[in-house]
Amino acid sequence: MSTAPEHPGRLGVFLGGGTLSPEDLATLAGRIEKGGYSTLWLPEAVGGDPFVQLGYLAARTERLILATGIANIYARDALTMNSGAKTMALAAPGRFILGLGVSSPVLVSGVRGHEYKKPLPAMRGYLEAMEKALYRGAEPEHDAPIVLGSLGPLMLGLAAKRTRGAIPFLVPPEHTALARGILGEGPWLCTEQMVLLESDAAVAREVGRKAISSYLTAPGYRNNLERLGFTTEEMDAKSDHLVDALVAWGDESAIHDRIDAHYAAGADHVCVQALQAGQRGPDLELLGRLAPSGKF
């Protein structure tokens, strides 16, 4: 009998880029599952299709929860998104979470050629359209829970009211505390955290600047950072203060301290994005060190 995920678990992994082959991704997912991580989040930008990738992984993992982090509402109409979510709920019973987001004007208008609309009404209307979408396929025992890519108070409020929770991205623990205050005690708060095993401050900050650079072109991230007290000058310069707030770098203990700070601020789940200097892809050594099971 299938169930919906009762909880995303304590610690997950966010894999950016979408550049791995299906075989390599499946091998990595197996290691992540063995490591005791609860959830694997895959984004949607200009790389591999997350639904295809997660569907492939569903047959090659046993316990790992599979999640979109996030699926872009401009990439599929509501009927297609609803159909994809139900199909994944059937393919991975109790192991799929649908993360939805509005993405950014650069990706939506500049890359996809769509009209980027005001985020809150766009997402509200999309959720309503998903609820009404025609679907005549096999029904899962339980629909997949939905979480929203949420930063500001209004989107967090919508996440609390209409979905299972929120997945904020590119945020310090101070935002986690604010988000928990808005969401209340029931909804899931799944926070992404960039992590880097590097104790040389100059090297770590340079890697961090590159990692956050593209996000700082998006109004949503900039507006959120401004609400948290960061200035336009800091964001334009990608200041040390900003990098240090958004990227947990240092030794293993320092990284654990940042993760724990999110938990203390109210996060139910933290998904780590393991950066590394000079290379694309996740730092497997770091993921191994952070693995809850001690195996990887």
Side-chain angles (χ1 to χ4, degrees):
M1 181 177 178
S2 62
T3 60
E6 294 180 358
H7 195 279
R10 193 72 166 162
L11 188 65
V13 174
F14 177 94
L15 292 181
T19 59
L20 293 176
S21 70
E23 293 80 7
D24 289 343
L25 183 59
T27 298
L28 179 53
R31 294 184 67 179
I32 290 169
E33 182 174 65
K34 180 181 179 182
Y37 291 100
S38 59
T39 304
L40 173 61
W41 301 81
L42 295 184
E44 179 165 58
V46 293
D49 183 283
F51 282 90
V52 175
Q53 291 174 319
L54 294 176
Y56 186 82
L57 296 181
R60 290 158 180 81
T61 54
E62 297 178 358
R63 302 174 306 280
L64 190 64
I65 297 172
L66 307 168
T68 55
I70 50 77
N72 185 344
I73 68 170
Y74 291 93
R76 300 165 191 80
D77 63 24
L79 187 152
T80 304
M81 190 74 80
N82 182 63
S83 175
K86 286 181 178 291
T87 303
M88 277 300 305
L90 284 163
R95 295 200 295 130
F96 177 66
I97 297 172
L98 177 63
L100 294 178
V102 298
S103 190
S104 71
V106 171
L107 287 174
V108 172
S109 299
V111 176
R112 293 184 179 275
H114 301 310
E115 178 189 359
Y116 188 82
K117 300 177 182 178
K118 290 184 177 181
L120 187 69
M123 180 58 79
R124 184 187 293 116
Y126 194 88
L127 291 173
E128 291 172 354
M130 281 188 67
E131 291 174 355
K132 299 174 183 177
L134 179 65
Y135 177 78
R136 292 177 176 170
E139 284 283 355
E141 184 74 18
H142 297 279
D143 283 330
I146 297 174
V147 296
L148 299 186
S150 311
L151 294 173
L154 296 180
M155 193 67 79
L156 285 164
L158 181 66
K161 183 180 295 186
R162 299 293 299 275
T163 75
R164 195 64 185 83
I167 173 170
F169 190 95
L170 203 72
V171 295
E174 292 78 7
H175 179 274
T176 300
L178 293 171
R180 174 52 71 197
I182 295 168
L183 290 172
E185 290 304 315
W188 297 340
L189 179 52
C190 309
T191 303
E192 180 271 347
Q193 175 63 63
M194 293 182 184
V195 294
L196 174 64
L197 190 64
E198 176 59 66
S199 295
D200 184 307
V203 173
R205 286 166 176 159
E206 183 59 28
V207 174
R209 286 187 184 95
K210 290 179 180 178
I212 69 174
S213 180
S214 63
Y215 300 104
L216 296 180
T217 65
Y221 291 116
R222 292 181 70 92
N223 291 340
N224 187 57
L225 292 170
E226 186 175 350
R227 282 191 295 267
L228 294 172
F230 294 96
T231 66
T232 298
E233 291 73 23
E234 284 182 292
M235 287 184 272
D236 290 343
K238 295 178 270 298
S239 71
D240 290 351
H241 178 218
L242 179 63
V243 172
D244 293 352
L246 300 178
V247 180
W249 59 267
D251 60 15
E252 187 178 336
S253 177
I255 292 169
H256 274 297
D257 286 346
R258 179 68 64 86
I259 294 170
D260 289 342
H262 282 293
Y263 293 140
D268 298 294
H269 173 85
V270 175
C271 47
V272 293
Q273 182 175 182
L275 310 176
Q276 56 182 332
Q279 297 185 50
R280 300 182 67 183
D283 184 343
L284 300 184
E285 178 186 352
L286 179 53
L287 289 178
R289 291 195 189 189
L290 298 177
S293 72
K295 304 173 183 180
F296 190 73

